[in-house]
Amino acid sequence: MSAFNAIGEQREIDRDEFTPGVEPQPTWCPGCGDFGVLKALKQALPEVGKTPEEVLTVTGIGCSGKLNSYLDTYGFHTIHGRSLPVARAAKLANPELEVIAAGGDGDGYGIGGNHFIHTARENHDMTYIVFNNEIFGLTKGQTSPTSPKGHKSKTQPSGSAKSPLRPLSTSLNAGASYIARTAAVNPNQAKEIIKEAIEHDGFAHIDFLTQCPTWNKDARQYVPYVDVQDSEDYDFDISDRREAAEMMHEAEDVLNEGTVLTGRFYVDEDRPSYTEEKQAVGEMPDQPLAERYFDDDAEWERSYDLLERHT
Amino acid sequence: MSDDELIWRIAGGSGDGIDSTSQNFAKALMRSGLDVFTHRHYPSRIRGGHTYVEIRAAAHEVQSRGDGYNFLLALGDSFARNPQEEAYYGNEELKPLSENLDELREGGVIVYDEGLFDDEDLEEIGLEERAEENDWHVYPVDLRSIAKEHGREVMRNTAGVGVTAALLGMDLGHIEDLMEDAMSGEIFETNLEILHEAHEMVEEEFDLGHDLRIPEGEHETEQALLSGSNAIAYGAIDAGCRFIAGYPMTPWTDVFTILSQNFPDMGGISEQVEDEIAAAALAVGASHAGVKAMSGSSGGGFALMSEPLGLAEMTETPLVLVESMRAGPSTGMPTKPEQSDLEFVLYTSQADSQRVVFAPGNIEEAYEQTRLAFEIAWDYQIPAIIIYDQKLSGENKNVDVEFFDREPAPDLGSTLTEEELKEAAHDASGKFKRFNYEAAEDGVAPRSLPGQKGGRYLATGNEHSPVGHISEDPDNRTFQMERRLEKLEAIRADLDDRESNQTYYGPQKAEYGIITWGSSQGAVAEAIDRLNDDGHSVRGISVSDMMPFPSDELEEFVESVDEAMVVEMNATGQFRGLLQKELGRYGEKLTSLLKFNGNPFEPAEIVEGYEVNVAEEAREPTAQVRIEPAAGD
Ligand SMILES: Cc1ncc(C[n+]2csc(CCOP(=O)(O)OP(=O)(O)O)c2C)c(N)n1
Ligand code: SF4
């Protein structure tokens, strides 16, 4: 695969370029679903023609948050729940960056839930991958917002009284324009979905089912696994909000019964991204703001120019 | 208390147009050659509720609201009335008159809206007796009727200005010009008619018994009337800031609004987001990607920024935050000033975190130090915070236009170009050694921006190796920590090489000292002048560098005087605490004068505090201020 890099040179890129050469080696547990995301990303990025330097991955805190330690792009490993506000500002400052945000279900749907809703609502042009293992991994197995009702953990010893959050429907209601679910156990689908999400012009949310064999031992490995696009049992219009909503509800209902419905649930190609909306109302420059500082010819307005209204 | 100054107070209901009227009148006074200073008092309500604006104008420099005032224009509070029946809700409608009498100086002038009050009301507040006692000159004018006859009742503000001008012997020219700038067509014509009719009516109906007249003055250079928030916003613009993210909270909203309104025209980006955590995190993200970015809030909102602030410190992302204080704790008094977030701002965020904190004390300093905050933040890759308060944020003062004529400074400081990155150190896998302690000077390791060729690294809030990998290696930890700490010492040395941010008042040598910070500066400056005029020997310093602290400078100051009083608007003496911590002694030399009732200091209160506190006159200070004895007393 060959591509043009940021300064217009053509060069060969492959997945190895996205692997840090010296260290560190992933510290995830054997059998962890997080490996699946890393692998799918390393495959997808060269296939969509990105060089490591054009990509900024922004992660939160958790096992999932380590993603960009093991993926060689520009990276920002932020704090618990805050990957999205950091990511979307980077995209606003430099729309030429390919921004991919990632984190866990505790990180993204719990502590960062407010940011998730508003980033989806604004439809920022970025990809957001949530490693959904239905558990807090890094802090050793507490109940997470997606753990099933009745789930027992050290902090909810009698079983959780809460119903799980429904990530797909929440995302749809909040305004994401691309919503899919995939799972680490199906690397091919995962790679294809990540490629589509990156190429999608708007907020692409992937609920990525990642098994945690260490703390969620009873949990399914997310099989049996059904791709709603491949199966003849499911026929719905992916661009129709209502039909998509129904499919999402079904997928969210049956997940707790052991059927794993995956695939693309909603794609809105027509909705302008936030950058486009902001440019349309005149709140955002056409050229990347970040470049202005390196442009010797840029004219910088002075406060002096604004004083007339005060005299 | 000088007689050659006008302190004009316009009082009415919140939402009655008091703000715009006073803004224009202040400008008219400035254009007529006077120095002006405004003070805004308002309740935390959107409409209704008694509110006032004070404008102090004199031919000499004015640095504070002054003591009391000498001209009251009392309009009715229209939101205290039932619009159908013109019935009163309690005595709210009287408040613009009744609530303002205590601070009116002897010999002062009162104009009130006659149409609103009947004799019973006036008797209730004892206006006649009080006027006689204090030699006040009272002019009842039916402002509402004048306004109504020509246009609409809301235009009674204009009638009030016309009456004011006539009573002060002031030319209407500047007022007319400003009205023309602000409105057009029929509205302008009507207002003009009202202005003139009110003016003529005074000339025809009243014999002026008072002495107060408009002072005569002249400016040698062109002046602009600006608030502290304007100055901070303009400082940011000139520093090259082009990204702001925020969530509204009074009084920080002012800076946020000014930049949001100006950025579209200058290619900047403003984002109103879901909360303050997001706001500060956005500023971190934008700065990381290569734009000079800022965010800010007031106490409660700033509390939420604690996390992203720490992230910026650990990832060495340059950033400017502003913290606009108001009275607390918690939601406190949203529209009242206080200087009580100092300790919070110095130590917000966990662990051995470091940041730069500047506390400008006046409008020029607000501009200057905002520029400086950006410069230091980008040179040293550290967050810088501007801490100021509701008073400085909202007060307006005339500033020489030339003062703002500085070149823009969009320099990204210690950020490398792609050319420079080629020469920089990389590890074996080709990653840029972003956090390279070997190559760091003054603790600063130059950075790259995402997208640049040859600059790939990982930024992380975890402790990290030179290329940014998470690391708990003890040696690396020690090196990185020491490198980051080194920056603050370097910044202190850098600041010491420049013109001091501290401002001095009074003679160079004196027996007594007054130490203050932030917006109390103006009142302290005037108090020092008065004390010296009265034969005391007092010098003052207003401190702006809160972190890193200018210990040498303060030590010199404290050493130079026998005793010193620390003046600040909070209940626990936070700045005095900082002083003693930083200087490590002198506790016995320092006393405190504290005020925390929601209103800023007036110079007379500081004079009085000094007399009781330092000169040890045996009398009780006013109830509104508190004196804290020196340590060991
Ligand atoms: C503000 C804050 N609260 C709590 C933590 C502790 N913490 C670290 S990771 C984590 C949960 C991670 O769970 P999840 O997001 O599901 O990710 P996983 O580890 O399962 O991949 C928590 C609570 C923290 N680092 N910061
Ligand atoms: S604890 Fe669970 S989520 Fe974390 S690395 Fe281990 S298996 Fe993966």
Side-chain angles (χ1 to χ4, degrees):
Chain A
M1 178 86 211
S2 95
F4 293 97
N5 69 13
I7 57 161
E9 290 169 351
Q10 190 167 20
R11 67 178 213 226
E12 295 297 315
I13 43 171
D14 62 31
R15 54 180 293 192
D16 291 343
E17 283 215 31
F18 290 89
T19 308
V22 201
E23 43 141 20
Q25 294 306 310
T27 54
W28 290 319
C29 311
C32 173
D34 294 5
F35 287 105
V37 189
L38 179 63
K39 185 171 162 205
L41 257 171
K42 279 189 189 173
Q43 285 174 337
L45 282 167
E47 287 187 25
V48 293
K50 294 293 167 191
T51 67
E53 267 139 7
E54 292 166 320
V55 180
L56 176 66
T57 45
V58 186
T59 55
I61 296 293
C63 299
S64 51
K66 303 264 176 74
L67 175 78
N68 50 7
S69 299
Y70 315 137
L71 179 77
D72 203 356
T73 61
Y74 268 102
F76 201 154
H77 178 227
T78 65
I79 39 179
H80 196 40
R82 315 296 168 210
S83 62
L84 286 176
V86 172
R88 67 201 215 218
K91 183 75 187 179
L92 287 168
N94 187 356
E96 285 178 5
L97 290 174
E98 188 58 55
V99 177
I100 299 171
D105 45 278
D107 182 86
Y109 301 148
I111 189 166
N114 196 19
H115 309 312
F116 172 51
I117 288 173
H118 288 276
T119 312
R121 171 188 157 224
E122 290 164 3
N123 198 32
H124 288 269
D125 180 14
M126 59 171 67
T127 302
Y128 184 39
I129 304 171
V130 181
F131 296 45
N132 185 358
N133 56 11
E134 301 181 9
I135 195 100
F136 280 14
L138 196 72
T139 46
K140 305 196 172 176
Q142 298 83 4
T143 308
S144 96
T146 48
S147 301
K149 192 170 177 185
H151 178 265
K152 287 189 181 171
S153 70
K154 285 185 189 152
T155 51
Q156 263 116 320
S158 316
S160 168
K162 304 175 195 188
S163 298
L165 181 118
R166 303 166 83 91
L168 304 173
S169 327
T170 304
S171 185
L172 182 75
N173 286 334
S177 54
Y178 180 100
I179 304 165
R181 171 177 268 173
T182 185
V185 288
N186 191 343
N188 286 332
Q189 187 205 40
K191 181 188 84 178
E192 288 309 317
I193 282 182
I194 289 177
K195 277 166 61 182
E196 273 183 25
I198 290 174
E199 283 174 339
H200 176 75
D201 185 16
F203 188 70
H205 167 218
I206 304 170
D207 186 60
F208 205 121
L209 300 169
T210 52
Q211 68 280 5
C212 171
T214 305
W215 302 111
N216 222 356
K217 285 195 200 334
D218 304 339
R220 307 160 301 281
Q221 296 288 305
Y222 304 109
V223 282
Y225 179 102
V226 181
D227 184 330
V228 291
Q229 265 82 38
D230 280 355
S231 163
E232 283 179 9
D233 297 343
Y234 304 97
D235 179 29
F236 69 106
D237 179 356
I238 197 167
S239 65
D240 184 295
R241 286 185 84 85
R242 284 164 209 282
E243 289 187 29
E246 232 166 83
M247 263 316 299
M248 288 177 185
H249 280 301
E250 178 161 356
E252 283 160 340
D253 287 338
V254 299
L255 184 66
N256 295 318
E257 290 154 17
T259 310
V260 185
L261 299 187
T262 65
R264 299 135 187 93
F265 286 86
Y266 183 63
V267 183
D268 181 352
E269 302 278 12
D270 298 329
R271 185 171 169 204
S273 70
Y274 187 59
T275 312
E276 287 160 344
E277 301 269 25
K278 217 170 153 64
Q279 279 171 342
V281 298
E283 280 191 355
M284 192 160 152
D286 298 335
Q287 295 301 312
L289 197 43
E291 281 179 7
R292 218 184 137 167
Y293 293 86
F294 293 104
D295 176 0
D296 292 337
D297 297 328
E299 295 242 343
W300 290 84
E301 292 82 350
R302 302 173 305 171
S303 64
Y304 194 74
D305 303 334
L306 303 169
L307 284 185
E308 213 165 277
R309 69 186 84 143
H310 300 281
T311 56
Chain B
M1 202 176 304
S2 49
D3 295 327
D4 57 349
E5 64 180 12
L6 166 71
I7 305 183
W8 183 78
R9 185 183 284 194
I10 178 172
S14 186
D16 267 341
I18 303 271
D19 235 0
S20 53
T21 308
S22 57
Q23 188 78 9
N24 274 341
F25 190 55
K27 250 191 206 174
L29 290 166
M30 176 182 82
R31 285 190 185 176
S32 74
L34 300 172
D35 272 23
V36 294
F37 191 99
T38 71
H39 165 69
R40 174 115 170 70
H41 165 103
Y42 61 107
S44 187
R45 267 163 76 165
I46 303 305
R47 308 208 117 201
H50 163 244
T51 167
Y52 67 76
V53 177
E54 231 171 59
I55 303 169
R56 184 175 181 203
H60 53 79
E61 193 187 7
V62 287
Q63 309 191 61
S64 77
R65 61 183 290 201
D67 302 306
Y69 69 106
N70 53 19
F71 193 121
L72 172 65
L73 172 61
L75 305 171
D77 178 350
S78 61
F79 298 97
R81 240 180 312 131
N82 175 328
Q84 280 85 43
E85 299 159 34
E86 303 214 341
Y88 301 141
Y89 294 138
N91 62 355
E92 283 275 308
E93 180 124 288
L94 266 178
K95 282 189 172 169
L97 181 59
S98 61
E99 293 277 293
N100 289 298
L101 296 177
D102 287 348
E103 289 162 337
L104 184 63
R105 293 185 195 168
E106 250 181 57
V109 176
I110 298 177
V111 176
Y112 71 88
D113 198 345
E114 194 183 18
L116 286 180
F117 311 116
D118 50 34
D119 294 346
E120 240 171 72
D121 293 330
L122 297 174
E123 235 162 78
E124 194 183 312
I125 55 175
L127 186 65
E128 227 180 274
E129 299 94 82
R130 293 190 70 176
E132 212 161 294
E133 237 169 75
N134 293 295
D135 189 24
W136 291 336
H137 302 266
V138 185
Y139 300 95
V141 186
D142 195 346
L143 301 169
R144 275 214 294 177
S145 301
I146 302 176
K148 251 186 187 166
E149 251 165 53
H150 291 269
R152 286 187 302 134
E153 192 186 318
V154 287
M155 297 178 179
R156 65 190 188 284
N157 289 330
T158 306
V161 171
V163 171
T164 301
L167 292 175
L168 291 173
M170 186 178 168
D171 182 68
L172 289 180
H174 292 304
I175 299 169
E176 289 171 354
D177 288 351
L178 284 159
M179 274 171 38
E180 194 170 2
D181 289 348
M183 39 193 140
S184 60
E186 207 186 315
I187 303 215
F188 170 59
E189 296 298 333
T190 319
N191 270 291
L192 210 58
E193 282 169 25
I194 295 172
L195 183 75
H196 282 277
E197 172 161 344
H199 193 269
E200 280 157 28
M201 201 213 69
V202 172
E203 295 190 328
E204 283 163 22
E205 288 186 18
F206 294 114
D207 264 338
L208 309 190
H210 62 273
D211 296 332
L212 190 64
R213 293 291 180 277
I214 180 98
E216 264 179 51
E218 204 186 318
H219 290 300
E220 271 161 28
T221 51
E222 197 183 7
Q223 302 290 304
L225 186 67
L226 261 86
S227 70
S229 294
N230 278 128
I232 287 174
Y234 292 176
I237 286 171
D238 284 356
C241 173
R242 289 295 181 275
F243 188 100
I244 188 165
Y247 190 83
M249 185 167 184
T250 305
W252 132 263
T253 314
D254 286 351
V255 171
F256 187 27
T257 307
I258 296 165
L259 286 175
S260 302
Q261 286 173 345
N262 283 304
F263 271 174
D265 289 339
M266 46 184 69
I269 294 175
S270 162
E271 277 286 287
Q272 183 183 317
V273 294
E274 59 272 24
D275 59 33
E276 286 86 351
I277 308 176
L282 259 91
V284 170
S287 171
H288 180 75
V291 175
K292 281 188 162 176
M294 82 190 285
S295 182
S297 190
S298 302
F302 194 78
L304 293 181
M305 298 184 164
S306 153
E307 271 193 333
L309 176 65
L311 177 67
E313 293 181 355
M314 190 52 146
T315 56
E316 301 179 65
T317 309
L319 174 71
V320 172
L321 297 177
V322 303
E323 215 275 34
S324 188
M325 295 176 283
R326 60 194 217 184
S330 192
T331 308
M333 297 199 280
T335 64
K336 300 292 175 212
E338 209 168 75
Q339 298 177 289
S340 50
D341 292 346
L342 177 63
E343 292 192 332
F344 177 56
V345 164
L346 290 174
Y347 312 119
T348 310
S349 185
Q350 70 272 25
D352 293 322
S353 52
Q354 306 272 306
R355 75 289 314 259
V356 176
V357 181
F358 293 126
N362 63 40
I363 288 167
E364 286 95 337
E365 287 180 7
Y367 170 85
E368 210 74 270
Q369 287 167 27
T370 304
R371 268 181 79 120
L372 182 62
F374 275 95
E375 191 187 326
I376 298 282
W378 263 262
D379 278 354
Y380 293 89
Q381 307 174 359
I382 192 170
I385 300 172
I386 306 284
I387 181 173
Y388 66 116
D389 63 36
Q390 189 268 351
K391 169 173 148 49
L392 180 56
S393 162
E395 71 196 15
N396 282 267
K397 187 182 170 297
N398 61 301
V399 181
D400 192 341
V401 164
E402 304 277 307
F403 173 81
F404 293 95
D405 190 13
R406 319 290 172 93
E407 284 303 310
D411 183 39
L412 286 182
S414 52
T415 307
L416 299 176
T417 60
E418 285 191 352
E419 280 303 299
E420 289 166 332
L421 271 169
K422 282 188 194 150
E423 309 295 315
H426 290 73
D427 79 354
S429 66
K431 267 198 172 174
F432 168 52
K433 285 195 174 179
R434 157 73 175 93
F435 304 100
N436 190 358
Y437 29 78
E438 280 126 30
E441 235 177 86
D442 290 335
V444 183
R447 64 176 196 151
S448 63
L449 299 178
Q452 279 181 321
K453 224 180 135 228
R456 223 160 63 247
Y457 76 100
L458 179 69
T460 166
N462 286 57
E463 187 58 275
H464 43 266
S465 73
V467 292
H469 289 315
I470 297 171
S471 165
E472 296 191 348
D473 175 75
D475 288 337
N476 175 68
R477 162 69 177 180
T478 310
F479 284 131
Q480 294 291 17
M481 200 67 210
E482 282 177 348
R483 179 179 65 74
R484 289 188 298 261
L485 292 179
E486 203 183 313
K487 291 198 254 180
L488 233 70
E489 280 162 49
I491 294 169
R492 185 66 261 160
D494 184 341
L495 293 174
D496 286 341
D497 285 344
R498 303 169 186 238
E499 206 177 300
S500 168
N501 286 324
Q502 285 56 253
T503 308
Y504 292 85
Y505 293 97
Q508 279 201 352
K509 273 219 76 58
E511 283 168 45
Y512 299 107
I514 298 184
I515 308 175
T516 193
W517 67 285
S519 76
S520 299
Q521 182 190 99
V524 166
E526 288 201 27
I528 288 172
D529 282 347
R530 282 189 218 170
L531 286 165
N532 286 313
D533 286 348
D534 287 350
H536 295 280
S537 169
V538 186
R539 66 188 297 231
I541 183 171
S542 165
V543 184
S544 287
D545 298 357
M546 295 291 138
M547 189 185 270
F549 196 77
S551 301
D552 292 348
E553 225 177 315
L554 266 295
E555 191 164 313
E556 242 173 66
F557 183 90
V558 179
E559 291 259 287
S560 78
V561 293
D562 298 340
E563 272 179 65
M565 181 170 83
V566 186
V567 178
E568 54 187 320
M569 275 191 279
N570 62 57
T572 53
Q574 297 189 13
F575 179 60
R576 176 175 158 194
L578 175 68
L579 259 174
Q580 288 182 202
K581 171 176 175 261
E582 291 288 341
L583 300 186
R585 57 202 171 108
Y586 301 121
E588 72 290 349
K589 263 196 179 187
L590 306 175
T591 56
S592 276
L593 184 69
L594 307 170
K595 188 175 182 186
F596 45 91
N597 68 354
N599 292 317
F601 277 107
E602 293 178 16
E605 291 172 322
I606 296 161
V607 169
E608 187 189 28
Y610 167 86
E611 284 165 352
V612 177
N613 220 6
V614 179
E616 294 183 341
E617 282 187 16
R619 64 180 155 113
E620 285 292 303
T622 62
Q624 302 290 345
V625 297
R626 193 163 96 194
I627 285 170
E628 286 287 316
D633 271 21

